Amino acid sequence: MKVLLAVDGSVCSDAAVQEIARRPWPAGTVIKVFSVAELPYVGAMEPWGLPNNYYVELDKAQKEKAQAAINKALTLIRAPKDLAVEIIAEQKMGHAPSTILDEAEAWGADLIVVGSHGYRGFKRFLPGSVAQAIASHAHCSVEIART
């Protein structure tokens, strides 16, 4: 079984990690801890508004944030007990929902596990609902963990 655990370091993401950690997985299970470094939208287009290295520093900060989320998840997974499964970690740059879905399909994931804020009503349709996008478009099973 291949399980793609998508993390971003948030409390909601921690709930997904704890779901992975608490379960007895069958032998041969591979868990991939995956994080997406996503560049935020910058509204200022004027060249005088931003320093020359702004985008380089922003890219570096997002990659560090993604790696920190992976490291935190690995620590939480291994804390309760040593899982008898293979655990791998990877991060990529891109738009979170599409990058997670592409990775799951390319890797052949059987399950995607993500955390969710649990928004209801109109808020769940606002841009940024990664869990909603993944649940709607995944080609495999999806589990959404809530806090």
Side-chain angles (χ1 to χ4, degrees):
M1 174 176 228
K2 291 182 168 183
V3 180
L4 182 70
L5 171 61
V7 297
D8 65 1
S10 68
V11 173
C12 301
S13 175
D14 292 348
V17 173
Q18 290 166 358
E19 283 297 313
I20 293 288
R22 73 175 182 80
R23 292 194 185 147
W25 294 96
T29 297
V30 179
I31 297 172
K32 180 184 271 193
V33 180
F34 188 73
S35 187
V36 179
E38 193 171 29
L39 287 177
Y41 170 75
V42 179
M45 297 303 288
E46 298 85 15
W48 54 266
L50 301 171
N52 291 338
N53 66 343
Y54 179 79
Y55 290 104
V56 172
E57 291 298 318
L58 191 60
D59 181 60
K60 180 181 171 189
Q62 289 301 99
K63 286 180 180 177
E64 288 172 357
K65 179 182 171 189
Q67 189 59 50
I70 289 171
N71 294 342
K72 181 179 178 183
L74 291 173
T75 300
L76 290 171
I77 287 174
R78 293 183 176 131
K81 61 181 185 297
D82 287 330
L83 295 175
V85 298
E86 180 183 354
I87 300 172
I88 55 179
E90 183 178 349
Q91 69 164 286
K92 288 189 177 174
M93 289 291 294
H95 176 61
S98 58
T99 304
I100 292 166
L101 289 167
D102 290 346
E103 182 65 23
E105 192 167 345
W107 187 54
D110 299 304
L111 174 66
I112 302 171
V113 180
V114 294
S116 174
H117 293 279
Y119 292 137
R120 303 246 185 257
F122 180 72
K123 278 189 174 182
R124 71 182 173 144
F125 295 108
L126 295 175
S129 179
V130 175
Q132 178 70 27
I134 291 170
S136 299
H137 301 289
H139 293 214
C140 63
S141 297
V142 176
E143 179 177 336
I144 301 173
R146 294 199 169 105
T147 54

